[in-house]
Amino acid sequence: MPTGFHRNLHIAVCDDEPQMAEQNEAALSRILDGHGLQRSRDYEIDVFHVPVLLVQRLEQDRSVYDILMLDIQLADTNGIELAHFLRDHDVQAEIIYVTDYPGFALDSFPTYPLEYLLKPVDEERLAAAMDRYLLMHRPPERLFLQTGSRGIPLEDILYLEIAGRKTAVYTVEEQELISRTLSSLEDSLLTQGFCHSHFSYLVNLAHVKRVTRTAILLDNGDEIPVSRRYYQQFMDRYIEHLK
């Protein structure tokens, strides 16, 4: 299972067979506990034996659950019909279906399930589904510009500017002068979302708000010049970044 998942994970198990619900709850706990996550601290699992109670909870907060583990054959409804209802009401939680019958698989596709499992649930397949979820939602690794004394997170850098034989680094909070030339930094930064707008400037595309023929407006209100030499190259990179 991927590591680095720090956000509290909230899962709902809905099955009108109490024994099956408890088995699936226990399987989820074993999978998550076995990879270093701790219940109450890193994850929660709620169990529902009556679908209407799950719907009522989601009506209170559509985003309360990250994953829904739904039995398809419920006493008073069909799990897929329930999922369609939830999707129509903008519930974006990932869905893992559990069923006795493989024939429902095609019907489940329009609800974009994370997994479709037959009873009794194969714990290895459930673990693989959880791996995929955690991999998709793992926070991105933070990258830093090493200055010698400390590292500046790349996401905080607005732009860099030539300052003689040094480089001025402008962040969302401050300006710092570092004893490295811009040319010595650009090879690594050009592959991390930065682009020249001018020979003397390297701009973080994530902070660009608007581009004209002569200037770039950043999201903090600063304006950076754009030279004719770099305009088209900058626009190509910026459009690719927006995509």
Side-chain angles (χ1 to χ4, degrees):
M1 178 177 292
T3 58
F5 187 87
H6 301 297
R7 183 173 60 82
N8 189 268
L9 180 64
H10 210 169
I11 303 171
V13 174
C14 186
D15 196 313
D16 54 12
E17 298 178 43
Q19 184 177 0
M20 187 62 65
E22 291 170 9
Q23 289 176 3
N24 291 335
E25 177 190 14
L28 286 166
S29 290
R30 283 192 297 272
I31 291 165
L32 296 172
D33 290 348
H35 292 278
L37 300 181
Q38 182 178 316
R39 192 160 185 169
S40 297
R41 184 193 69 186
D42 301 310
Y43 72 91
E44 298 284 354
I45 303 173
D46 296 337
V47 176
F48 297 87
H49 302 308
V50 181
V52 68
L53 297 179
L54 172 60
V55 172
Q56 289 173 355
R57 182 69 183 91
L58 288 165
E59 285 176 342
Q60 294 170 359
D61 183 353
R62 293 179 304 187
S63 60
V64 62
Y65 294 114
D66 302 289
I67 298 173
L68 305 175
M69 193 170 185
L70 299 179
D71 183 18
I72 289 182
Q73 292 84 37
L74 295 166
D76 55 354
T77 188
N78 175 290
I80 295 175
E81 293 175 356
L82 172 60
H84 277 292
F85 173 82
L86 297 177
R87 291 291 190 242
D88 288 343
H89 287 76
D90 202 30
V91 173
Q92 301 299 317
E94 296 284 356
I95 295 173
I96 298 174
Y97 287 114
V98 180
T99 182
D100 288 310
Y101 305 103
F104 288 107
L106 288 177
D107 295 334
S108 74
F109 290 165
T111 62
Y112 308 105
L114 179 65
E115 186 57 278
Y116 186 100
L117 300 173
L118 293 177
K119 295 181 181 180
V121 168
D122 182 327
E123 198 161 316
E124 288 188 6
R125 286 194 62 184
L126 178 58
M130 295 303 299
D131 281 357
R132 290 198 303 278
Y133 177 86
L134 295 179
L135 185 62
M136 289 187 295
H137 294 83
R138 182 172 55 186
E141 180 183 0
R142 296 192 82 192
L143 301 175
F144 296 85
L145 174 65
Q146 297 300 327
T147 66
S149 59
R150 68 184 183 95
I152 304 174
L154 295 191
E155 64 201 55
D156 292 344
I157 297 175
L158 300 167
Y159 64 96
L160 303 94
E161 180 185 7
I162 290 176
R165 295 190 177 184
K166 297 183 178 182
T167 299
V169 181
Y170 295 82
T171 72
V172 294
E173 295 182 348
E174 61 183 347
Q175 173 190 347
E176 182 170 339
L177 197 63
I178 64 174
S179 299
R180 294 181 62 183
T181 64
L182 187 60
S183 60
S184 72
L185 299 168
E186 64 182 15
D187 284 348
S188 59
L189 293 177
L190 287 172
T191 63
Q192 300 297 334
F194 288 75
C195 185
H196 274 290
S197 66
H198 184 284
F199 175 78
S200 299
Y201 293 86
L202 199 58
V203 180
N204 187 344
L205 295 169
H207 288 285
V208 174
K209 185 175 182 180
R210 187 172 68 246
V211 183
T212 70
R213 281 283 181 177
T214 59
I216 294 165
L217 178 65
L218 300 180
D219 53 16
N220 74 328
D222 286 357
E223 283 197 359
I224 308 300
V226 179
S227 67
R228 286 187 294 177
R229 174 185 174 188
Y230 286 99
Y231 173 78
Q232 192 56 54
Q233 172 186 301
F234 188 89
M235 285 303 299
D236 291 343
R237 286 286 308 279
Y238 182 52
I239 290 170
E240 186 62 32
H241 168 78
L242 292 176
K243 290 179 180 177

